[in-house]
Amino acid sequence: MHQPTRLVVLVSGSGTNLQALLDACADPAYGARVVAVGADREDIEGLARAERAGVPTFVRKVSDFETREGWDASLTTVVERFEPDLVVSAGFMKLLSTEFLDRFLTLNTHPALCPAFPGMHGPRDALEHGVKVTGATLFVVDAGVDTGPIIAQVPVAVEDDDDVASLHERIKTAERAMLVDTVGRIAREGIAVDGRRVRIGDAAR
Ligand code: GAR
């Protein structure tokens, strides 16, 4: 890994997880920096956050390509240009191709305790199921939907009067702290992925 570790962050929406990473990277001791931010749509707050921080951005919209494979290839090419050590999918609502995942170590943050409630609606599905504890998971992306090796998890209590928005907001507060802490430790100490077991620390370098 480069020092500081080079991060490309992918977003599809408000980008509060991205903002937490940008804020953390402002401290040189954090050990990482965001070298580019990519999105699958225009006019989102995530891109505006990157622009305000002076970080280069790129957009690849699936609808601009004749095939999904064309989009996958273009995304891989543009990410490659920034030579990331890690790609962080932070609220990026597209599945990535195996070619992309073979090329870049890619992390994703999901607003549920995997393997529970994968997909686009983690907080809603947890609430509908009636669980009393949910949370957020940071994992290494594989070919499945939120199925990859787990790096870190944080629990969040479900309150009796929660709706989807209040629960997701509480999850996101815990999720941002977990993301910043874990990405920083990976940047400074390294990561080793052995099957489903993930280790951070000196031995992982
Ligand atoms: C986050 O809670 C993230 O875990 C979730 O979208 C939110 C993005 O928030 N991602 C998924 O549900 C992916 N399955 P943000 O744009 O404010 O960082």
Side-chain angles (χ1 to χ4, degrees), residues 13-17 90-91 93 109-111 119 146 168 172 175:
S14 65
T16 63
N17 282 287
M93 296 301 191
T109 174
H110 180 63
D146 303 323
H168 197 178
K172 283 176 72 168
E175 181 181 30

Side-chain angles (χ1 to χ4, degrees), residues 2 4 8 18 32 55 62 71 88 97 111 117 128-129 133 137 171 183 188 191 203:
H2 297 90
V8 167
L18 163 67
V55 172
V62 173
W71 179 82
V88 181
S97 67
F117 312 121
E128 283 181 359
H129 197 86
V133 178
T137 302
I171 291 171
V183 169
R188 295 186 301 275
I191 181 171

Side-chain angles (χ1 to χ4, degrees), residues 48-59:
R49 290 177 192 277
E51 280 153 21
R52 286 198 292 273
V55 172
T57 62
F58 57 86
V59 175

Side-chain angles (χ1 to χ4, degrees), residues 58-117:
F58 57 86
V59 175
R60 292 294 181 279
K61 287 159 64 176
V62 173
S63 58
D64 287 343
F65 293 82
E66 271 176 25
T67 62
R68 179 64 184 234
E69 291 71 27
W71 179 82
D72 289 329
S74 177
L75 187 72
T76 304
T77 302
V78 66
V79 169
E80 183 115 62
R81 220 178 277 159
F82 293 98
E83 298 179 17
D85 299 301
L86 282 179
V87 174
V88 181
S89 167
F92 186 62
M93 296 301 191
K94 289 281 179 301
L95 295 180
L96 296 160
S97 67
T98 50
E99 289 75 16
F100 186 98
L101 299 174
D102 287 344
R103 177 68 194 79
F104 309 109
L105 180 58
T106 304
L107 317 185
N108 187 24
T109 174
H110 180 63
L113 291 177
C114 296
F117 312 121

Side-chain angles (χ1 to χ4, degrees), residues 17 21 25 27 29-30 33 38 55 70 76 85 91 98 101 113-114 117 119 140 149 158 167 178-179 192 204:
N17 282 287
L21 286 171
C25 288
D27 179 356
Y30 184 65
R33 80 188 170 102
V55 172
T76 304
D85 299 301
T98 50
L101 299 174
L113 291 177
C114 296
F117 312 121
V140 180
V158 180
L167 177 60
M178 174 188 68
L179 178 70

